[in-house]
Amino acid sequence: MTRFCHVILDRDGVLNYEAPGGYVTDPDQWVWIEGVLDALAKMAQAGLRLSVATNQSCVKRGIIDQQTLETIHDRMRRDAAAKGIFFSGIHFCPHTPDQGCRCRKPEPGLIEEAVQQSGISKNQTVFIGDSQSDLQAGRAAGIATWLVRTGKGKNTEAALKEGMIQGISAENVQIFEDLGQACAALLART
Ligand SMILES: [Mg+2]
Ligand SMILES: [Zn+2]
């Protein structure tokens, strides 16, 4: 079984609860999903490199500016650091779908950027997400991709099992209740 050294995490719905309006627009709206900080701390202690890859089209939509996004990520980094957790990179796509960029998931750009910055090979990397676009981006980037049932995960699982996600078959995706369970599976491999 592959021993993973680098875990790339989607943000909304994996690390934090999705905000009521769809976008976290203020650091005060940041709420960690139960058990996530403990799971991240265990992964950090095990020496796994952690990074984040998140679509934030709210920036180019003009809902928040990039400065505000940075303050939200500062809040996230601060909470994490208090538990000994450090993210080696927080990669975000600010673009809207119609801009046709290569970074917005389901495109592989963000994940490729995270892989490149880490210096850890693709086959020692796993991406964990909750959306269809996460599964597609992970597949396009050619890395192992796991699904969690938090956030949009249950809907994604249903779509996956109905064969509704183009190019991805259910038997190729490992599914976990939440990041805590995914973490336990990761650590069992190391
Ligand atoms: Mg998500
Ligand atoms: Zn982009």
Side-chain angles (χ1 to χ4, degrees):
M1 214 160 19
T2 318
R3 183 178 174 274
F4 293 120
C5 302
H6 180 200
V7 185
I8 306 173
L9 301 141
D10 173 48
R11 198 193 82 178
D12 303 325
V14 174
L15 301 182
N16 59 296
Y17 291 105
E18 294 179 300
Y23 300 106
V24 177
T25 57
D26 184 287
D28 291 339
Q29 288 178 329
W30 182 271
V31 185
W32 292 93
I33 293 174
E34 206 183 324
V36 162
L37 278 170
D38 286 342
L40 293 173
K42 282 181 193 159
M43 291 192 263
Q45 279 159 21
L48 293 167
R49 187 184 288 258
L50 303 171
S51 51
V52 176
T54 178
N55 282 356
Q56 294 298 328
S57 64
C58 50
V59 174
K60 291 291 181 192
R61 289 180 209 272
I63 297 167
I64 65 171
D65 57 23
Q66 198 156 314
Q67 184 57 43
T68 306
L69 183 64
E70 301 291 354
T71 65
I72 293 163
H73 290 163
D74 285 346
R75 155 85 202 267
M76 179 179 121
R77 284 185 202 273
R78 221 173 23 246
D79 289 355
K83 300 257 184 182
I85 304 153
F86 299 94
F87 297 106
S88 60
I90 298 175
H91 306 274
F92 63 90
C93 164
H95 307 113
T96 55
D98 60 320
Q99 288 184 280
C101 69
R102 212 184 122 73
C103 44
R104 183 177 163 84
K105 297 174 285 182
E107 293 298 318
L110 273 189
I111 292 173
E112 287 171 352
E113 190 181 289
V115 167
Q116 203 156 31
Q117 198 192 65
S118 73
I120 293 169
S121 74
K122 274 186 183 183
N123 49 27
Q124 290 179 300
T125 302
V126 60
F127 175 53
I128 303 178
D130 69 310
S131 299
Q132 297 196 21
S133 60
D134 291 323
L135 299 184
Q136 290 165 326
R139 184 178 185 278
I143 70 165
T145 304
W146 291 1
L147 177 67
V148 286
R149 293 194 179 102
T150 49
K152 296 183 170 67
K154 284 180 180 157
N155 289 338
T156 304
E157 181 182 15
L160 182 66
K161 290 185 171 164
E162 286 160 19
M164 301 293 284
I165 308 180
Q166 207 185 352
I168 300 173
S169 64
E171 54 268 29
N172 293 333
V173 180
Q174 291 207 55
I175 304 173
F176 300 93
E177 211 45 44
D178 54 22
L179 193 65
Q181 206 185 76
C183 166
L186 271 169
L187 298 186
R189 290 167 170 249
T190 57

